[in-house]
Amino acid sequence: MSAKERLYSLIDSTKLGRAALEARRSYRHYRIPAQQIKSCGFTFVDRQKGSENLCIILAGYKEPLWDEVFKRIALFAPEDIDICIMTSGLRNESLMAVAEEHGWSYLATEINHLSHIQNKAIELHPQAQWIYKLDEDMFIPQGFFEALRQTYDTVEKNSPYVPAFVSPLINVNCFGYVRLLEKCDLLDDFRATGLAPAKVTDGLHHNQVVLEDPAIAKYLWGATQPKLRDIDALTAEFSSEPLAYSICPVRFSIGAILFTREAWKLFEGFPITFVGSKFGLGDDEEHICHFAHFTGRVIVVCENIAVGHLGYGPQTKAMLDYYLEHKDRFALSPANDER
């Protein structure tokens, strides 16, 4: 490690130092020209096996979740899959250690743009044809990878649809929460809380409360209904049923999805734009959903797998506190933890 890297690591080890570095990055990187972003420096620790299956994980900002989230990925990822942790605009020694421990790759870019780092990760894994993308606040259960691929293949071969991408049934999700409540027979109970009318939404044009109110995220994590506290038990129940999926007709949050390299090429990679924020937050999502809706493809939601999402941005602070107070509701079921 160079003297500069040691200094940055020391500064980054304190809360005040991290805030100062983030402010510096924000000042330097706001609306940087797209070509400069594409050509920016990066660090890549390459441990890939050359698999056709790749899982890229966006991380770096929700450290309290990492032990549980990465434990689940390590337990449930197929042996032949390549995994790459990505940190956009920063290097994180803790995540580099996680990657080393599990034999995963690690990618850090000097400039923070979420589309760019995902494109770079895919470019650096040229053999990958099937790409799973996860965010650091997604709690996956056993069978996640297999079920998404099985659903993709089934839709492609045995349905009238052409898939753009496949996602699991996610609890804190503007589409998935309604189907989850329906499957758990909790729609009336949720409506009785007065939190929201239980409508499918994109979270932007109506019923924004679904992604803004922490009380909704807490409900969907079982604050009052114990059945919602255990995504592993829900998945065991749903996976015992015949394969089922639904088609999402609105913009969909892409915190846990499967798509193909062919699709990535067709939509010409994730865009280096600044619509959602100066870091391109949400631009990748808008782009792939536009690809689905405007090229005759569909967004497919596998209903045999339940995945836990901590919460949307406006809910994050309250939900991190909730997580620390109720870790048992996010933890692996004992039977899975003994694997």
Side-chain angles (χ1 to χ4, degrees):
M1 184 183 295
S2 67
K4 179 180 177 181
E5 290 172 334
R6 286 196 296 272
L7 176 60
Y8 277 22
S9 180
L10 179 62
I11 296 172
D12 197 51
S13 66
T14 68
K15 185 176 181 180
L16 182 61
R18 285 193 296 272
L21 287 176
E22 179 60 29
R24 180 176 181 268
R25 282 191 293 266
S26 297
Y27 177 78
R28 291 179 63 194
H29 300 158
Y30 184 64
R31 297 295 176 98
I32 294 173
Q35 189 54 46
Q36 187 176 341
I37 292 174
K38 291 178 181 178
S39 61
C40 78
F42 63 92
T43 298
F44 182 47
V45 181
D46 186 1
R47 300 187 180 95
Q48 64 184 294
K49 302 181 285 285
S51 174
E52 69 169 8
N53 301 302
L54 170 66
C55 178
I56 56 176
I57 308 163
L58 273 172
Y61 297 93
K62 298 175 184 175
E63 186 170 0
L65 309 180
W66 292 346
D67 285 348
E68 182 67 26
V69 165
F70 287 115
K71 177 170 69 174
R72 287 174 172 273
I73 295 171
L75 277 171
F76 300 140
E79 289 186 5
D80 67 340
I81 195 169
D82 280 321
I83 297 177
C84 181
I85 298 176
M86 306 175 295
T87 56
S88 183
L90 60 87
R91 282 167 55 109
N92 185 284
E93 300 297 329
S94 296
L95 291 175
M96 292 182 77
V98 170
E100 182 176 14
E101 176 186 357
H102 296 295
W104 302 341
S105 297
Y106 175 82
L107 173 64
T109 51
E110 291 184 359
I111 294 178
N112 184 6
H113 196 286
L114 301 181
S115 288
H116 170 64
I117 196 167
Q118 292 175 85
N119 290 336
K120 179 61 68 175
I122 294 168
E123 290 169 4
L124 292 169
H125 292 81
Q127 302 305 313
Q129 302 302 315
W130 296 90
I131 300 157
Y132 299 84
K133 181 259 182 179
L134 286 170
D135 288 346
E136 63 185 325
D137 58 359
M138 290 287 173
F139 298 77
I140 67 167
Q142 184 175 7
F144 165 82
F145 294 94
E146 295 84 356
L148 263 59
R149 176 62 187 274
Q150 181 185 8
T151 301
Y152 192 107
D153 288 343
T154 297
V155 172
E156 188 173 47
K157 297 174 183 176
N158 301 317
S159 86
Y161 303 112
V162 176
F165 63 87
V166 175
S167 174
L169 196 59
I170 301 170
N171 58 358
V172 187
N173 176 276
C174 290
F175 174 82
Y177 85 108
V178 176
R179 278 302 293 138
L180 180 64
L181 293 172
E182 288 175 339
K183 288 176 71 70
C184 294
D185 196 25
L186 289 172
L187 264 179
D188 290 341
D189 182 80
F190 178 79
R191 287 173 175 148
T193 67
L195 292 170
K199 296 287 188 180
V200 168
T201 175
D202 63 359
L204 300 174
H205 296 91
H206 64 84
N207 289 283
Q208 294 94 331
V209 67
V210 176
L211 59 73
E212 293 175 348
D213 189 351
I216 292 178
K218 291 175 184 178
Y219 179 95
L220 295 167
W221 274 104
T224 59
Q225 289 294 338
K227 183 168 187 177
L228 296 174
R229 295 175 187 172
D230 191 339
I231 61 167
D232 301 299
L234 286 172
T235 292
E237 176 186 338
F238 297 162
S239 63
S240 69
E241 302 166 356
L243 188 143
Y245 60 86
S246 51
I247 303 300
C248 174
V250 297
R251 174 172 170 167
F252 190 89
S253 300
I254 59 168
I257 63 170
L258 167 65
F259 59 99
T260 65
R261 190 180 205 91
E262 180 183 7
W264 177 72
K265 290 179 178 179
L266 286 172
F267 64 70
E268 299 181 339
F270 295 107
I272 310 301
T273 51
F274 307 91
V275 177
S277 78
K278 56 193 171 187
F279 309 125
L281 180 64
D283 293 9
D284 53 345
E285 175 181 299
E286 180 177 320
H287 189 69
I288 196 171
C289 290
H290 186 277
F291 168 71
H293 293 310
F294 284 84
T295 64
R297 293 169 172 81
V298 293
I299 299 168
V300 183
V301 177
C302 170
E303 298 192 351
N304 300 98
I305 292 288
V307 164
H309 174 210
L310 181 75
Y312 288 98
Q315 300 164 329
T316 297
K317 184 179 185 301
M319 287 305 295
L320 283 172
D321 292 339
Y322 187 78
Y323 172 79
L324 294 173
E325 294 167 3
H326 302 284
K327 281 190 173 183
D328 58 307
R329 299 180 185 180
F330 299 78
L332 274 169
S333 298
N336 283 322
D337 207 8
E338 293 171 1
R339 289 185 65 199

